[in-house]
């Protein structure tokens, strides 16, 4: 298997790693609420699932970094012009770095937020859609990326306090919806490009 396909496989794994970490961490923590508590509360020192959660977040961040490289190689090899492939990969990579910070420095460490590096991910689906615009076979994927990018921004707004919609009683639910939009597209885009890079049976690998 070519290295780029292994890298794309890491990108496919990103949402599964994150939500498996979140789900297992919540299951191991008595009384934890996915509706009213932040995900990062599972990683606080003394939490029953702190080691598992923080380790899982670091692993998710590393998979995101590798997936970013895979998406860069795949879009570059598909003939996408600069600057979109490196810009998309950079934004996804910064998100991965932010995740690693989040796992290495659990709440309430001020470094937990990764100095805001992860916010770059909000630009990534738009850059990736632009990187794929020269491929007529990717029209559906490009539309998905743009719609998901808009959804991420719409969910970011209440998470930042706009409209007063997010309260302590529902912050967990909002964060899960936001995370679904933020992580899922990386897996979908990686899977789509991985499929197209898989050689037909009998073709050289």
């Amino acid at each position: 298997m070519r290295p780029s396909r292994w890298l794309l496989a890491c990108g496919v794994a990103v949402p599964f790693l994150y939500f498996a970490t979140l789900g297992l961490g919540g299951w191991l923590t008595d009384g934890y609420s996915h509706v009213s508590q932040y995900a990062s509360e599972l990683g606080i020192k003394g939490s029953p699932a702190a080691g598992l959660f923080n380790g899982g977040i670091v692993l998710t961040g590393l998979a995101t970094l590798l997936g970013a490289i895979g998406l860069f190689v795949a879009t570059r090899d598909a003939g996408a012009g600069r600057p979109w492939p490196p810009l998309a990969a950079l934004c996804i990579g910064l998100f991965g770095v932010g995740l690693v910070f989040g796992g290495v420095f659990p709440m309430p460490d001020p470094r937990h937020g990764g100095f805001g590096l992860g916010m770059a991910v909000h630009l990534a689906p738009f850059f990736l859609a632009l990187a794929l615009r020269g491929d007529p076979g990717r029209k559906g994927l490009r539309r998905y990326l743009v719609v998901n990018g808009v959804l991420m921004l719409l969910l970011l707004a209440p998470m930042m306090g706009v409209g007063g919609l997010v309260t302590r009683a529902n912050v967990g639910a909002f964060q899960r919806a936001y995370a679904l939009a933020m992580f899922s597209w990386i897996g979908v885009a990686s899977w789509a490009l991985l499929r197209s890079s898989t050689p037909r049976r009998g073709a050289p690998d």
Side-chain angles (χ1 to χ4, degrees):
M1 181 180 284
R2 294 195 302 269
S4 61
R5 288 164 56 201
W6 279 109
L7 295 168
L8 287 171
C10 289
V12 173
V14 166
F16 296 99
L17 287 171
Y18 177 78
F19 286 105
T21 297
L22 181 61
L24 187 56
W27 180 66
L28 292 173
T29 306
D30 289 339
Y32 180 80
S33 172
H34 288 285
V35 174
S36 62
Q37 290 182 262
Y38 287 99
S40 294
E41 292 181 52
L42 291 168
I44 294 175
K45 184 177 180 180
S47 169
L52 180 146
F53 180 80
N54 293 325
I57 294 301
V58 170
L59 185 61
T60 303
L62 294 175
T64 302
L65 281 165
L66 294 173
I69 299 171
L71 287 168
F72 166 71
V73 173
T75 50
R76 182 202 62 188
D77 289 352
R82 296 179 180 177
W84 309 120
L87 282 176
L90 175 63
C91 290
I92 298 169
L94 288 174
F95 180 49
V97 172
L99 288 168
V100 172
F101 267 88
V104 173
F105 304 107
M107 286 178 61
D109 192 303
R111 294 168 290 184
H112 177 72
F115 307 101
L117 293 175
M119 296 298 286
V121 75
H122 296 91
L123 298 174
F126 301 108
F127 289 151
L128 189 58
L130 287 168
L132 295 169
R133 64 180 177 175
D135 185 347
R138 299 294 181 192
K139 191 173 183 179
L141 178 58
R142 294 198 309 272
R143 286 178 176 174
Y144 164 76
L145 289 169
V146 171
V147 170
N148 195 90
V150 171
L151 180 60
M152 286 168 60
L153 294 173
L154 291 175
L155 289 169
L156 172 64
M159 290 299 299
M160 299 296 290
V162 175
L165 297 174
V166 176
T167 66
R168 185 58 189 176
N170 65 20
V171 65
F174 267 93
Q175 190 186 44
R176 271 56 174 184
Y178 178 46
L180 184 62
M182 193 161 45
F183 285 94
S184 62
W185 73 269
I186 299 174
V188 170
S190 299
W191 176 75
L193 293 172
L194 178 61
R195 285 187 64 196
S196 66
S197 71
T198 301
R200 297 173 182 172
R201 184 171 295 181
D205 189 358

